[in-house]
Amino acid sequence: MDNNKIKVGITHGDINGIGYEILLKTFEDPRMSEICTPVVYGSGKIASAYRKTLSLPEVRFTQVESAAEAEGDRLFMVNVVPEDTRIEPGQATPESGSAALAALRRAVDDLKAGDIDVLVTCPINKHAIHGEEFDFPGHTEYLEAELGDDTDKAMMIMCGEGLRVALVTIHEPVSGIAPKITREAITEALVKFNASLVADFGVHSPRIAVLSLNPHAGDGGVTGTEETDIITPAIADATAAKVLAFGPYAADGFFGSGTYRKFDGILAMYHDQGLIPFKLLAGEHGVNYTAGLKYVRTSPDHGTAYDIVGKGVADPQSLREAIYMAMDIYRNRLREAEATANPLKKQNFDRGSDRVPKEKNSNNN
């Protein structure tokens, strides 16, 4: 086994969505198992059913009881659902929600234990998975609860085609956005975003654009005062913390004029403000990355796509990109940790003394 290969855990997501189609299409290419050790948390039986329905080439899974057993250039499967689990393509069912949660829980446990190095999650249906055991708006919030602590707060960053878009609020109803846009929240997001750009993406001294909340950046208070009262002071606070932040920019003109190309990262105030332009620009190359945690998790930037399940037209490119990005971020973190692990100790010198001690003067005249 190549000890440098990264072990990638992949959850099957909603079993009634396109998760298995994009998984099977991704691993049709045997080279994927050469660049990493992939471990799918799901069901070999369900994978086989979708392969036959879609008339896809055979993809061989090696069944293992635990991700710790996965070694070599093969595709592995950890079965996490009962054999009699039913699939109802295109439907949100309690059974599909349970199957999605079972995979996620097992993968997160293995991530904590070190049995996998990174986590890639296929799309879930939030209605199907929601219940007493999963009372979260989505993956990001669940992973923060499971993998974070008082200091580790998750941040959603959408990445692809040279774009990196982070969010101040994530899955917040539109009616609840404005109260969440505070000076402290924006400053914290900018500092966290900056740290991720450096450690996770290898961008040093990144330039971050900050979007406004209101149309036309508030028009000097005509269409809102958050820009002058909250966002601009937060940018100043972040600048004082050595973050290169600029704005606020009106979102429509910012993207429409191509100004986004001048920045390493973009901080949006809310979900659709950032994700609509991102998905239009990044297309099938988009990836959802959960920053701010000690562990690496990525996901395709699309949903379960119930409307095209079973038609054989689902594009696996976003899943491939999610796998590549998870590995890249993992390596970047290792490089950053190595580069900053042993800084030179500061030398103490007497004030006014030379840096290189001189020999004592001889008494001989």
Side-chain angles (χ1 to χ4, degrees):
M1 175 184 175
D2 183 354
N3 291 326
N4 293 320
K5 284 182 67 175
I6 296 171
K7 193 174 290 189
V8 181
I10 308 169
T11 60
H12 63 181
D14 191 287
I15 59 174
N16 294 335
I18 60 170
Y20 274 100
E21 181 177 347
I22 59 176
L23 273 167
L24 292 167
K25 287 180 174 179
T26 293
F27 290 103
E28 284 176 3
D29 187 341
R31 292 175 297 181
M32 292 296 294
S33 299
E34 294 173 3
I35 63 172
C36 67
T37 301
V39 181
V40 175
Y41 294 84
S43 164
K45 183 177 179 180
I46 294 175
S48 178
Y50 272 108
R51 185 189 68 78
K52 292 175 182 177
T53 298
L54 297 166
S55 299
L56 294 173
E58 185 174 3
V59 175
R60 294 184 179 275
F61 290 91
T62 298
Q63 304 285 338
V64 289
E65 291 295 321
S66 166
E69 302 172 22
E71 295 184 2
D73 296 343
R74 289 177 287 169
L75 173 62
F76 296 90
M77 171 73 76
V78 177
N79 282 296
V80 296
V81 297
E83 282 290 305
D84 60 352
T85 299
R86 294 180 304 162
I87 56 174
E88 298 179 55
Q91 302 296 317
T93 65
E95 201 161 12
S96 69
S98 295
L101 183 56
L104 184 58
R105 278 181 164 172
R106 180 66 181 274
V108 166
D109 287 345
D110 285 356
L111 189 62
K112 291 177 182 177
D115 292 335
I116 56 176
D117 297 312
V118 299
L119 174 63
V120 178
T121 59
C122 285
I124 58 174
N125 180 280
K126 295 178 179 62
H127 175 71
I129 199 173
H130 197 269
E132 292 183 4
E133 297 181 280
F134 189 95
D135 188 20
F136 301 93
H139 272 121
T140 304
E141 294 83 355
Y142 174 81
L143 293 170
E144 179 182 273
E146 289 292 319
L147 302 175
D149 54 32
D150 291 339
T151 58
D152 293 335
K153 300 298 182 183
M155 166 177 272
M156 179 186 289
I157 303 178
M158 307 301 292
C159 319
E161 294 297 277
L163 281 169
R164 302 179 191 93
V165 179
L167 307 174
V168 177
T169 63
I170 305 177
H171 298 116
E172 191 70 37
V174 172
S175 60
I177 291 172
K180 299 284 187 180
I181 303 301
T182 65
R183 181 172 176 172
E184 294 76 18
I186 296 169
T187 304
E188 181 182 347
L190 282 168
V191 171
K192 189 182 297 293
F193 193 14
N194 183 79
S196 179
L197 289 170
V198 173
D200 299 334
F201 297 95
V203 182
H204 291 269
S205 299
R207 291 166 51 87
I208 302 174
V210 182
L211 301 184
S212 64
L213 175 65
N214 298 298
H216 308 155
D219 269 336
V222 175
T223 57
T225 61
E226 283 85 357
E227 284 70 26
T228 54
D229 295 346
I230 297 172
I231 300 176
T232 298
I235 292 173
D237 292 343
T239 301
K242 299 183 179 180
V243 176
L244 298 178
F246 306 87
Y249 296 95
D252 57 350
F254 180 81
F255 287 103
S257 66
T259 304
Y260 66 89
R261 298 189 184 96
K262 300 178 182 178
F263 294 92
D264 302 299
I266 301 159
L267 182 68
M269 294 297 110
Y270 57 93
H271 186 278
D272 284 12
Q273 182 188 53
L275 267 63
I276 289 174
F278 172 81
K279 290 190 176 185
L280 286 170
L281 293 166
E284 68 274 11
H285 296 279
V287 175
N288 179 351
Y289 167 53
T290 303
L293 303 177
K294 294 182 178 69
Y295 303 90
V296 177
R297 175 261 175 171
T298 62
S299 176
D301 75 341
H302 56 73
T304 54
Y306 282 160
D307 57 321
I308 61 170
V309 177
K311 297 181 179 179
V313 297
D315 190 334
Q317 188 59 39
S318 186
L319 176 58
R320 291 195 195 102
E321 297 288 349
I323 294 170
Y324 299 151
M325 184 170 291
M327 293 191 293
D328 287 344
I329 291 172
Y330 184 81
R331 293 190 183 102
N332 285 339
R333 285 189 175 188
L334 291 178
R335 281 192 287 264
E336 183 70 13
E338 183 178 359
T340 58
N342 297 303
L344 292 174
K345 293 182 178 179
K346 187 179 292 185
Q347 300 294 321
N348 294 319
F349 296 97
D350 292 335
R351 186 174 295 175
S353 66
D354 293 331
R355 287 189 175 273
V356 180
K358 293 181 179 179
E359 294 182 4
K360 291 183 178 179
N361 291 333
S362 172
N363 288 327
N364 296 329
N365 292 323

